[in-house]
Amino acid sequence: MNKQRILIVGAEKGLGLGLSQAYLKKGWDVFATHLPDADIASLIALEKGYPGSLATGEIDVTDVCHIGPLIARLGAWQFDIIFLVAGIYGPLHQSVLQASDAEFQQIMMTNAFGPARLARHLLPFLKPAGTLVFMSSHRGSIASNTEPGIGLELYRASKVALNMLARCIYMDLMQGEHTVLSIHPGWVATAMGTLDGAVEAEIDVNTSVNGMVEVIELHRSDRKHLFLDYENNTWPW
């Protein structure tokens, strides 16, 4: 019996690393990507722990020049799930009034345009009934933005844009058997989630990862585009 396969984009740390470990434990083959200059000691350790089940490749989703080499590295791989995890919080001020052009460009490229562009290039590697997953955020819900004074304008905007680009991909796939999921992982104790320890998160990595794995499994055959969180709650667009 052929093993199931997942591609995880942005897997050198945090949620991407946790997801890689979770799927390896489930007996899947995992292709995990990392930034070209990233510390990949944790991925190397996973590779040793699961010989023959983990492959790695480099990609910076903001650099179009990296796409061709990654595609060449993937070769004949076909995936049941492609999960685009890579993302950033952006500048601490999170203000449209304070943001420089470069700051806005960076967060939109990293959180929205880069993942969506890469996803388009990766569609030939997704099985006919495969599932495409984007790491979204509840902050990407326009209807749920009822928090005056919280701000987070740049991060919110980037995740709203990602949700829309994911919907555009789904609309091009909806005649087939594919499923597209936009998932909020919860407020997780990662370097990004805690702003490098400056704030306290609500849940740990394992809680988030295990929840997302279960939610993806529940909805892999839905053939819809859904906006869910790690507890399987539906979020309004």
Side-chain angles (χ1 to χ4, degrees):
M1 182 177 177
N2 292 331
K3 293 172 69 176
Q4 296 189 90
R5 291 179 163 182
I6 184 170
L7 168 59
I8 300 174
V9 177
E12 66 265 32
K13 61 182 180 179
L15 292 172
L17 181 64
L19 285 162
S20 298
Q21 185 173 20
Y23 278 99
L24 287 167
K25 285 182 177 179
K26 286 169 62 72
W28 287 48
D29 284 333
V30 176
F31 193 107
T33 80
H34 57 85
L35 288 168
D37 58 351
D39 178 355
I40 60 170
S42 296
L43 281 177
I44 292 171
L46 270 185
E47 192 172 11
K48 291 178 179 177
Y50 296 89
S53 295
L54 177 65
T56 60
E58 298 181 353
I59 184 73
D60 179 342
V61 298
T62 69
D63 192 336
V64 69
C65 296
H66 291 185
I67 296 175
L70 176 63
I71 288 174
R73 177 88 173 86
L74 290 173
W77 280 71
Q78 287 286 295
F79 298 100
D80 299 272
I81 299 172
I82 295 176
F83 198 150
L84 292 108
V85 176
I88 59 173
Y89 179 78
L92 289 178
H93 60 72
Q94 283 292 314
S95 167
V96 166
L97 288 175
Q98 296 181 49
S100 66
D101 292 353
E103 286 174 331
F104 187 72
Q105 181 181 31
Q106 182 187 34
I107 195 169
M108 294 300 289
M109 285 290 296
T110 306
N111 289 2
F113 179 73
R117 175 178 61 187
L118 179 58
R120 292 276 187 179
H121 283 278
L122 293 174
L123 289 178
F125 296 92
L126 188 62
K127 292 181 180 179
T131 300
L132 182 63
V133 187
F134 292 92
M135 190 71 81
S136 186
S137 168
H138 68 306
R139 304 293 189 188
S141 168
I142 292 176
S144 296
N145 184 4
T146 57
E147 302 173 297
I150 298 296
L152 297 177
E153 292 176 299
L154 305 185
Y155 185 73
R156 288 184 195 273
S158 71
K159 291 301 185 178
V160 170
L162 178 63
N163 286 351
M164 178 56 79
L165 291 169
R167 173 56 60 93
C168 291
I169 292 173
Y170 171 72
M171 295 306 296
D172 289 342
L173 296 174
M174 65 180 297
Q175 300 305 318
E177 300 179 33
H178 294 97
T179 296
V180 178
L181 302 177
S182 297
I183 294 188
H184 167 50
W187 186 4
V188 190
T190 62
M192 177 176 159
T194 64
L195 301 180
D196 291 322
V199 296
E200 186 174 345
E202 293 178 342
I203 58 173
D204 59 24
V205 169
N206 286 337
T207 299
S208 174
V209 164
N210 292 336
M212 287 190 289
V213 169
E214 290 182 8
V215 168
I216 292 169
E217 194 58 35
L218 279 172
H219 295 283
R220 279 175 61 192
S221 301
D222 284 7
R223 296 171 60 178
K224 298 177 181 179
H225 179 206
L226 303 173
F227 187 10
L228 306 165
D229 65 19
Y230 73 102
E231 294 181 307
N232 200 36
N233 298 305
T234 298
W235 281 80
W237 298 106

